[in-house]
Amino acid sequence: MPTESRPDVKPRPTSTHPLHSPDFYAGDPYPAYRELRKTTPVVWNDTTNFWALTKYEDVRFVSGHPGLFSSTKGITIPDPEQPEPVQEGNLIFTDPPRHRQLRKLINAGFTRRQVTLLEPTVRRIVADIVEGIDPSREYEFAEEIAAPLPTRMIAEMLGAPPEDWERFRTWSDAAVGTADPDIEMDSLVALGELYEYFTALIEDRRSGRVTGQDDLLSILAAAEVDGERLTDADLLNFSFLLLVAGNETTRNLIALGTAALLEHPDQLAMLRSDPSLLTCAVEEMLRYTSPVTHMARRATADVDIRGQQIKAGDTVVMLYGAANRDEEIFGPTSEQFDITRNPNPHIAFGAGEHACLGAQLARLEARVMFEVLLGAYPSIELTGDVTRLRATMVPGVKRMPVRLKASV
């Protein structure tokens, strides 16, 4: 029977845009983001039931209050057809104080010094990729040029042998592309194979069969903070997180960054003429393309955001791509791709407690790749349409045909 309306409860403003759909993120969501920032910056999706945030300061607010907005119930846009893939104990699904303890231990492998030490390895891998390019044929840029770098880098970091690198990419694609019909491997099968593989790597290090290694798993297995060490389950969870987060995001930063340069030939020409802009250009690629579209949190108490009452138990989705083009932060050129933008306080790597642990490594990989690739090939021509993976969180580049020429 109908219930009496309560004048103190505002109706939730709902969006006409399909913010729950993989197709929305695989297309061009930016016009919708712009409209929502102006009209309903805190908006309810009544198809799969979540609040979407499109303003920069609101995303930072949620990111900075893990006590109010929990990661333990899931971090992705709700999908009624698939259970939320929560991995209890995994860094990305934990809240303080456990999150801080885990992060402190894992930081041993991601100090500034450790990342600096990885640069020769990054340069060797990039040189292998670029030197192997045949200018006489067309390439699928994302698959053949962008993807091998993070895949090989992570495999080497974890101490996996070269013959296993391609399996890493297959597992990673299956883990993030669950909604895409072109991904043949089932995500649960991929997850099972991943855990089985990483369990063997960890056992090798714990048993002493592999010793004297300086790979990340060996460093983390030996890391100790305040008398505490990472358990085998912790190492297993982190290995999975590193593969999926590090591989997909860096691959798509490189592919989407290249697409942005090709769509803005004036910016590409400026970068070629002044390579000192490379560091700044990578930051603008991160802001402009936002390879990770969102993170979700669960409200633990009632909280007001821009006059909208978020109830305890509500899911809140932080749309990074919308926040990274917020006019209040990035000014009247927020929708423009500008490789000289400075300052550039984007939040493509998240913010607060859960800011991306591997952000500096991703920046290093992208910087070296663009430095070497643009130096070797004065001409990069897009020869077909760029198509994206059907995914809500990381709608990566699936097809991006290009030709590379050593002379203009």
Side-chain angles (χ1 to χ4, degrees):
M1 59 184 292
T3 57
E4 185 179 358
S5 62
R6 291 173 52 194
D8 59 321
V9 177
K10 293 181 182 178
R12 289 169 163 172
T14 57
S15 172
T16 58
H17 301 289
L19 300 176
H20 59 282
S21 170
D23 292 318
F24 175 78
Y25 299 97
D28 179 9
Y30 292 101
Y33 289 161
R34 184 167 59 250
E35 176 198 321
L36 290 171
R37 282 195 304 270
K38 290 179 180 177
T39 60
T40 44
V42 181
V43 67
W44 179 254
N45 177 280
D46 59 4
T47 303
T48 62
N49 298 327
F50 63 88
W51 289 100
L53 307 182
T54 60
K55 295 288 286 181
Y56 182 95
E57 293 297 349
D58 297 342
V59 171
R60 288 201 69 96
F61 172 75
V62 171
S63 300
H65 292 83
L68 273 178
F69 300 97
S70 173
S71 300
T72 61
K73 303 299 183 183
I75 58 167
T76 59
I77 286 173
D79 182 349
E81 296 182 5
Q82 294 183 356
E84 177 67 44
V86 174
Q87 297 162 20
E88 287 189 20
N90 196 319
L91 180 70
I92 205 168
F93 294 102
T94 58
D95 293 334
R98 179 55 179 161
H99 179 268
R100 290 175 189 146
Q101 295 168 338
L102 277 174
R103 192 169 178 115
K104 205 171 181 181
L105 284 161
I106 291 168
N107 269 338
F110 285 93
T111 62
R112 186 175 294 277
R113 178 177 178 275
Q114 283 296 129
V115 172
T116 301
L117 291 173
L118 291 171
E119 182 162 350
T121 304
V122 173
R123 289 194 174 278
R124 172 170 51 80
I125 295 170
V126 170
D128 287 346
I129 295 167
V130 174
E131 289 170 8
I133 291 173
D134 177 1
S136 69
R137 76 171 183 87
E138 187 177 85
Y139 279 83
E140 279 292 351
F141 187 89
E143 278 295 313
E144 297 182 275
I145 297 174
L149 171 57
T151 302
R152 286 178 56 180
M153 191 68 215
I154 290 165
E156 285 206 13
M157 287 174 68
L158 293 173
E163 59 267 23
D164 293 339
W165 292 344
E166 283 305 310
R167 296 168 68 193
F168 272 49
R169 198 193 313 182
T170 301
W171 290 329
S172 180
D173 285 350
V176 301
T178 55
D180 196 283
D182 288 346
I183 301 295
E184 295 179 1
M185 178 176 277
D186 181 81
S187 61
L188 293 178
V189 172
L191 191 63
E193 291 186 7
L194 262 172
Y195 274 90
E196 185 179 335
Y197 183 87
F198 287 136
T199 296
L201 285 185
I202 292 165
E203 285 178 354
D204 283 344
R205 282 144 186 82
R206 295 291 200 202
S207 67
R209 287 193 295 272
V210 174
T211 58
Q213 295 284 96
D214 60 358
D215 61 76
L216 187 57
L217 270 185
S218 297
I219 292 170
L220 294 180
E224 186 173 309
V225 174
D226 300 330
E228 182 186 8
R229 287 193 171 190
L230 292 170
T231 66
D232 286 2
D234 293 333
L235 289 173
L236 200 56
N237 283 330
F238 178 68
S239 298
F240 174 79
L241 177 62
L242 179 65
L243 173 64
V244 175
N247 183 22
E248 296 298 326
T249 53
T250 306
R251 162 187 174 172
N252 289 302
L253 164 58
I254 293 169
L256 292 171
T258 301
L261 288 172
L262 296 179
E263 290 166 8
H264 300 85
D266 60 322
Q267 299 295 299
L268 177 55
M270 188 189 306
L271 183 57
R272 287 194 185 280
S273 66
D274 185 1
S276 70
L277 289 171
L278 193 50
T279 297
C280 196
V282 169
E283 296 307 307
E284 180 66 347
M285 292 172 193
L286 284 160
R287 183 197 74 87
Y288 187 78
T289 69
S290 296
V292 176
T293 65
H294 77 277
M295 283 283 174
R297 300 286 184 262
R298 188 76 62 86
T300 61
D302 292 358
V303 60
D304 183 277
I305 301 180
R306 291 187 191 268
Q308 299 302 328
Q309 176 118 109
I310 313 296
K311 293 288 190 182
D314 283 355
T315 297
V316 176
V317 171
M318 300 175 285
L319 293 174
Y320 295 134
N324 278 334
R325 297 197 186 184
D326 189 340
E327 299 82 357
E328 288 187 13
I329 304 299
F330 299 99
T333 64
S334 63
E335 297 284 350
Q336 297 174 22
F337 181 62
D338 176 9
I339 65 168
T340 67
R341 189 181 300 275
N342 188 26
N344 190 347
H346 69 77
I347 45 177
F349 288 118
E353 294 274 345
H354 284 273
C356 178
L357 194 65
Q360 296 308 319
L361 178 58
R363 287 179 165 111
L364 171 64
E365 291 179 76
R367 178 172 57 79
V368 173
M369 173 58 88
F370 283 111
E371 174 193 322
V372 176
L373 187 67
L374 296 180
Y377 291 95
S379 174
I380 302 176
E381 177 190 357
L382 193 63
T383 57
D385 293 335
V386 177
T387 58
R388 304 281 291 268
L389 191 70
R390 288 190 76 252
T392 55
M393 180 171 271
V394 190
V397 176
K398 186 161 61 173
R399 294 187 183 88
M400 183 177 166
V402 300
R403 282 193 180 275
L404 300 101
K405 298 177 183 178
S407 58
V408 179

